[in-house]
Amino acid sequence: RHHLVDSLTYSNSSKCVFCSKVKGDSPLFKCDACPQAFHAKCFSRFSGLKTLRNGHLSQLNKSDLCCPKCREEQRLEPKSQKAKDLSKKCKQLLGELDQITGGCCLCHIPDFNRGETCNSNTVILCDQCEREFHIGCLKRENMCSLKAIPKGAWFCSPKCKGVNQALGKVRQLGCYKIRAARGGGGGSLPKSKGSQIKYTCEVLCGEGKEERSRRSLNEALEILQESFAPLPHAVTGADLLPIMAKAQACADHDYTKVHTILLRSNGEPVCACVIRICGQFLAEIPFVATKSSARNRGHCRQMFSVIERLLSDLGVEQYCLPAAAGQAMNTWIKHFGFRVMKAAAFRKAKADFRILLYPGTTLLVKSLMETN
């Protein structure tokens, strides 16, 4: 609108914008993006284009004919091909944004009631899978009929409630022993080493009240921060890694249900990961790393054996992680059994679960149904 008002203030007179002279014997050309006019020779001195004997300009395309102000502000003539191409790209981008903006996972409309009263347009979130639902959509799909937002935890299905309860029991185990991997998690440990290593695992959700859990979380965070550069939140700029590892909220993102897994080898912390378990549908691993001094010893494979065993016990169907192109992606695909998530599945995961994806990475997914 601002550009339109500016352009309308230009006069449609026969004066050249450069020399302020009237049309005379030399023809005037009109700017493609506004009503300004100019002589061919005057414009050639400004643009560097050659003037032909007939007074016309030697130009590659019509979009070259823009006055200084329009060139500075990069305005486009609405009917030009460049403007049409830009408009097409904008429509495609808006179409993709419409599909990944979230909102109710049943009607896919991000609109919700902002008042204190509870009606059909009020949104409620599942306390395990974290999907959003309109109360009216829940009733229409015969999932449940709510008259008010329930106090305490609410789950969209018995499966999500079961996953939540099972996770609580795993956290209560504290640091528990696990057997060495034999073919799980994309590979196996050498027998000579596997028999000598005693692994223990701990599943954490936030710092907790005990000193032991706080110490374990700090050890896990130290391993992860050794491998990952800070990932700033789009609004606050805060590093997302410690926020997610400590199960905290940040702006409009709630990470209070995120878990951290710490793997120990003979009592020493060697591998850690951050994991979001979105009910039985999907689990997300935005961060996973092995301690630099303990790499190339099979600990990462052991970690993924633990992850897959845990998710399988919870009944989770698949899990995903971001991977950079090149050797890292090839390793995940070739040695750990992942594949690139299809575009339609990615849009759904992004909309329903707000999956985290770093710039320059691709989302990989692995089915646990096939593994089982």
Side-chain angles (χ1 to χ4, degrees):
R1 185 182 298 117
H2 173 69
H3 286 172
L4 178 60
V5 172
D6 270 0
S7 66
L8 288 177
T9 62
Y10 295 164
S11 65
N12 275 309
S13 65
S14 57
K15 288 185 178 181
C16 173
V17 67
F18 294 101
C19 67
S20 300
K21 293 181 180 180
V22 295
K23 183 176 179 180
D25 297 332
S26 181
L28 283 173
F29 291 89
K30 184 180 176 183
C31 174
D32 286 333
C34 74
Q36 285 282 38
F38 40 76
H39 293 116
K41 289 184 178 181
C42 296
F43 184 79
S44 66
R45 288 193 293 268
F46 162 74
S47 63
L49 294 175
K50 293 182 179 180
T51 307
L52 302 180
R53 290 183 178 180
N54 59 4
H56 290 75
L57 294 165
S58 61
Q59 53 185 337
L60 297 177
N61 54 67
K62 194 180 177 185
S63 62
D64 289 327
L65 292 177
C66 286
C67 69
K69 188 168 185 179
C70 290
R71 279 205 168 193
E72 180 183 354
E73 298 183 5
Q74 296 184 343
R75 297 177 183 172
L76 296 175
E77 195 271 320
K79 295 182 180 180
S80 67
Q81 187 59 44
K82 191 173 181 180
K84 291 179 180 178
D85 293 341
L86 181 61
S87 177
K88 184 178 180 181
K89 288 181 181 180
C90 289
K91 288 180 180 179
Q92 291 175 348
L93 178 60
L94 290 173
E96 292 178 3
L97 288 174
D98 286 340
Q99 296 177 2
I100 61 174
T101 49
C104 175
C105 66
L106 298 177
C107 68
H108 304 291
I109 297 176
D111 185 33
F112 59 93
N113 175 36
R114 298 179 182 272
E116 296 181 358
T117 58
C118 184
N119 57 32
S120 61
N121 210 33
T122 300
V123 164
I124 186 171
L125 274 71
C126 175
D127 281 294
Q128 184 55 54
C129 70
E130 301 183 42
R131 294 185 300 167
E132 299 179 6
F133 299 87
H134 284 132
I135 287 181
C137 294
L138 287 171
K139 185 176 181 180
R140 187 181 67 249
E141 297 295 327
N142 296 319
M143 293 179 65
C144 67
S145 181
L146 298 174
K147 302 297 183 183
I149 299 296
K151 296 180 180 180
W154 178 83
F155 303 100
C156 66
S157 68
K159 288 185 177 180
C160 277
K161 185 177 181 179
V163 170
N164 186 270
Q165 292 174 342
L167 275 172
K169 294 178 180 179
V170 173
R171 292 195 300 270
Q172 290 175 2
L173 293 175
C175 188
Y176 60 94
K177 294 180 180 180
I178 55 175
R179 61 182 182 274
R182 293 297 174 206
S188 61
L189 295 168
K191 290 184 179 180
S192 59
K193 291 185 178 181
S195 59
Q196 299 172 1
I197 297 176
K198 293 181 180 180
Y199 282 109
T200 56
C201 176
E202 193 168 358
V203 179
L204 308 158
C205 185
E207 295 179 320
K209 298 180 180 180
E210 300 181 7
E211 177 61 29
R212 174 192 56 80
S213 62
R214 288 195 290 269
R215 184 172 60 253
S216 296
L217 185 63
N218 288 333
E219 290 173 333
L221 190 55
E222 184 178 348
I223 293 174
L224 294 168
Q225 288 181 318
E226 185 184 30
S227 296
F228 287 92
L231 182 66
H233 186 272
V235 177
T236 66
D239 185 8
L240 281 177
L241 173 52
I243 291 173
M244 295 184 75
K246 294 179 181 180
Q248 299 173 341
C250 181
D252 60 337
H253 290 79
D254 184 7
Y255 298 116
T256 56
K257 299 171 185 65
V258 173
H259 288 72
T260 299
I261 301 177
L262 176 64
L263 181 72
R264 298 179 187 272
S265 172
N266 296 333
E268 293 295 322
V270 293
C271 198
C273 81
V274 171
I275 184 169
R276 282 180 65 221
I277 301 175
C278 306
Q280 79 275 20
F281 308 101
L282 181 71
E284 173 195 12
I285 303 179
F287 304 100
V288 60
T290 302
K291 193 174 182 178
S292 60
S293 59
R295 290 173 184 167
N296 301 317
R297 301 180 189 177
H299 299 316
C300 186
R301 291 175 179 173
Q302 179 65 49
M303 169 62 87
F304 275 85
S305 176
V306 170
I307 292 170
E308 292 185 2
R309 198 176 303 157
L310 171 64
L311 296 179
S312 296
D313 290 343
L314 295 174
V316 179
E317 298 171 1
Q318 56 185 352
Y319 69 111
C320 64
L321 54 79
Q327 185 177 355
M329 184 182 296
N330 292 336
T331 299
W332 289 122
I333 294 175
K334 184 177 180 180
H335 298 290
F336 287 83
F338 284 86
R339 58 180 172 80
V340 176
M341 182 179 283
K342 295 181 179 178
F346 169 73
R347 287 193 295 268
K348 182 173 176 58
K350 188 73 173 174
D352 289 352
F353 306 114
R354 303 179 78 173
I355 296 299
L356 183 65
L357 189 65
Y358 321 134
T361 61
T362 301
L363 197 65
L364 304 182
V365 64
K366 183 176 181 180
S367 172
L368 293 170
M369 308 298 289
E370 298 171 2
T371 304
N372 293 338

